[in-house]
Amino acid sequence: MTGIVEHYQGLAQNLIENLGYDQALQVAEQYAWYGVVEEIHRLGGEQGHTVH
């Protein structure tokens, strides 16, 4: 499971670096990458966000 989390972290960081926070979040949500969405929120400083 740790490998998956690290993968989500890498994807989230890459998206943020290349697209910016808002667009990275939009792309992750569009493709239903919920683990990546969680990491984007975490990297953006949002705590306690729950994906529905």
Side-chain angles (χ1 to χ4, degrees), residues 9-21 23-24 40 43:
Q9 290 170 343
L11 283 172
Q13 187 64 43
N14 192 331
L15 286 171
I16 292 169
E17 288 175 3
N18 288 289
L19 302 175
Y21 178 83
Q23 194 170 6
I40 291 171
L43 291 170

Side-chain angles (χ1 to χ4, degrees), residues 26-39:
Q26 182 180 2
V27 167
E29 288 175 342
Q30 176 182 351
Y31 288 101
W33 295 340
Y34 299 120
V36 177
V37 170
E38 288 293 320
E39 286 301 316

